Amino acid sequence: MIVVLGLAAMIWWGGRLMQVTRPVRISLLTVLFSAVVILQLTLPDGAPLREATGGSASLWFILAGAGGLVAVYTMGLQHLRARAERAEGAQAASGAEAPPFSEVELNRYARHIVLREVGGLGQKRLKDASVLVIGAGGLGAPALQYLAAAGVGTVGVIDDDVVENANLQRQVIHRDRDIGTAKVFSAQAAMEAQNPFITVRPYNRRLSDDIAADLFSDFDLILDGSDNFATRYLANRVAVAQEKPLISGALSQWEGQISVFDPARGGPCYQCIFPEAPAPGLAPSCAEAGVIGPLPGVLGAMMAMEAVKQISGAGEVLRAQMLIYDGLYGETRRITLSARADCPICGQSRIVPASTGEN
Ligand SMILES: [Zn+2]
């Protein structure tokens, strides 16, 4: 018996060393096995050759059965492994199943992801979101910085101003060496330097009627940090027509206010609350009236906060609410806002939503 097993081992491992292919070795083993079984079945009991090769056919059948089980088990394992490898390959090839964040991004946004209200899903929503910021000045600067840092995937910014020396007392996204540069490019450089995992789209021009609808249609959410009423009314009109939330901030000297106008989901639009622009001189600009440096930082960061909540689904945004912050006395108050039925932009009196965007 030992002689037969030795012969089998020689065929299998010796053959492998001599690079005999696996099917040939299996055939040789089959021939050996058949010869031994024939010897067992044909030779009489006690024949020396039969005794030397085990003495009984049943012993060899048991051995063959055990060998067969091992072979089937091994083949099954190989099949499963090959299938898993194919699945992995397919997953790597199709980008759709690729993980949404790299290791570096996961680490960067870890303080968001551990927040119950944001989590991995909220961070993915931020990455998939596109936000347009109107104005890269006082309110726009901090809003842009925090949107970029928070990982909002696409941030657009539209402004036609260049950085001036007198801006730098409060517009902290720009630096002294940026004086004379278009604000959108200065802001873009700062945002990309802060977070290379986002896309910044600068528009170095003034928001106007002819481009607003096209521009807004590329974004999920609009932040209005502009400094004039014409732009505010235009932004409101187009945002309402496209049913996009408009996060609006405004400043004066020591006081700021912020609200989320989103009549498609309830509450008023900007024009419900401010039906008419104030007469010239009644609403002086920052240049005329002055503004305390940290105030745009407070309000712009609040705008970014509302944007992050709106996108991630965390908490409640300031829809139909206006938050007023008085920096001089450190006070905040919140007032409830209502829509006006006769609002020409969002009220029942308007004829069709699309026409409002083309006025
Ligand atoms: Zn309205």
Side-chain angles (χ1 to χ4, degrees):
M1 173 149 189
I2 299 200
V3 178
V4 180
L5 289 178
L7 206 59
M10 248 178 68
I11 290 172
W12 192 251
W13 284 290
R16 196 158 80 171
L17 275 178
M18 290 160 67
Q19 298 185 336
V20 177
T21 62
R22 197 183 164 98
V24 172
R25 286 181 287 149
I26 289 172
S27 309
L28 287 172
L29 284 180
T30 311
V31 170
L32 179 67
F33 176 78
S34 310
V36 170
V37 169
I38 289 166
L39 283 177
Q40 295 300 325
L41 293 176
T42 53
L43 290 175
D45 260 353
L49 193 54
R50 184 170 170 185
E51 289 301 316
T53 55
S56 154
S58 54
L59 184 70
W60 288 105
F61 285 126
I62 292 168
L63 264 179
L69 278 179
V70 170
V72 167
Y73 178 72
T74 310
M75 277 163 63
L77 273 187
Q78 280 172 351
H79 175 72
L80 286 178
R81 191 177 301 148
R83 205 166 66 175
E85 279 168 7
R86 272 201 307 276
E88 267 176 30
Q91 189 172 329
S94 76
E97 295 295 321
F101 295 106
S102 66
E103 282 297 313
V104 183
E105 285 174 285
L106 281 178
N107 178 263
R108 178 168 297 217
Y109 306 129
R111 306 302 188 272
H112 272 171
I113 293 169
V114 297
L115 287 175
R116 186 168 49 84
E117 296 83 357
V118 180
L121 179 63
Q123 193 63 45
K124 175 75 165 56
R125 287 177 177 155
L126 288 171
K127 181 170 184 161
D128 292 340
S130 55
V131 175
L132 177 68
V133 178
I134 304 168
L139 290 166
L144 289 165
Q145 284 176 308
Y146 277 105
L147 291 174
V152 172
T154 304
V155 181
V157 53
I158 181 165
D159 196 312
D160 66 341
D161 281 343
V162 296
V163 179
E164 292 173 22
N165 186 42
N167 298 146
L168 298 183
Q169 149 263 18
R170 64 195 182 285
Q171 299 180 16
V172 293
I173 201 170
H174 311 296
R175 291 148 302 178
D176 186 70
R177 66 161 187 252
D178 299 321
I179 291 171
T181 308
K183 282 186 180 177
V184 291
F185 299 130
S186 165
Q188 178 188 22
M191 292 158 79
E192 288 174 351
Q194 208 276 345
N195 190 350
F197 301 104
I198 62 158
T199 303
V200 181
R201 291 205 225 145
Y203 304 93
N204 184 25
R205 56 178 300 173
R206 197 174 184 84
L207 184 71
S208 57
D209 267 306
D210 53 325
I211 59 159
D214 267 354
L215 183 63
F216 280 28
S217 66
D218 284 342
F219 294 90
D220 307 322
L221 175 62
I222 316 296
L223 267 63
D224 183 4
S226 64
D227 57 2
N228 65 85
F229 284 96
T231 303
R232 289 178 180 278
Y233 285 121
L234 169 62
N236 181 60
R237 224 163 41 230
V238 181
V240 170
Q242 296 188 5
E243 300 192 343
K244 291 185 176 164
L246 175 73
I247 299 175
S248 180
L251 301 171
S252 173
Q253 297 183 323
W254 294 86
E255 194 175 276
Q257 61 192 38
I258 173 175
S259 185
V260 179
F261 296 110
D262 191 10
R265 288 158 198 83
C269 76
Y270 179 82
Q271 201 156 332
C272 289
I273 307 306
F274 303 101
E276 283 172 22
L282 282 181
S285 69
C286 287
E288 293 156 350
V291 58
I292 193 72
L295 183 66
V298 174
L299 271 296
M302 281 184 180
M303 290 172 76
M305 175 71 92
E306 294 305 306
V308 166
K309 289 192 296 177
Q310 175 76 37
I311 296 163
S312 66
E316 282 179 19
V317 295
L318 288 167
R319 191 185 308 121
Q321 300 284 323
M322 179 173 284
L323 190 146
I324 298 165
Y325 170 69
D326 181 346
L328 197 53
Y329 295 99
E331 287 175 351
T332 56
R333 59 187 190 279
R334 229 168 82 150
I335 54 175
T336 300
L337 307 176
S338 325
R340 288 181 346 150
D342 63 344
C343 172
I345 305 304
C346 75
Q348 289 153 357
S349 61
R350 71 196 166 128
I351 302 157
V352 282
S355 69
T356 57
E358 293 160 6
N359 288 341

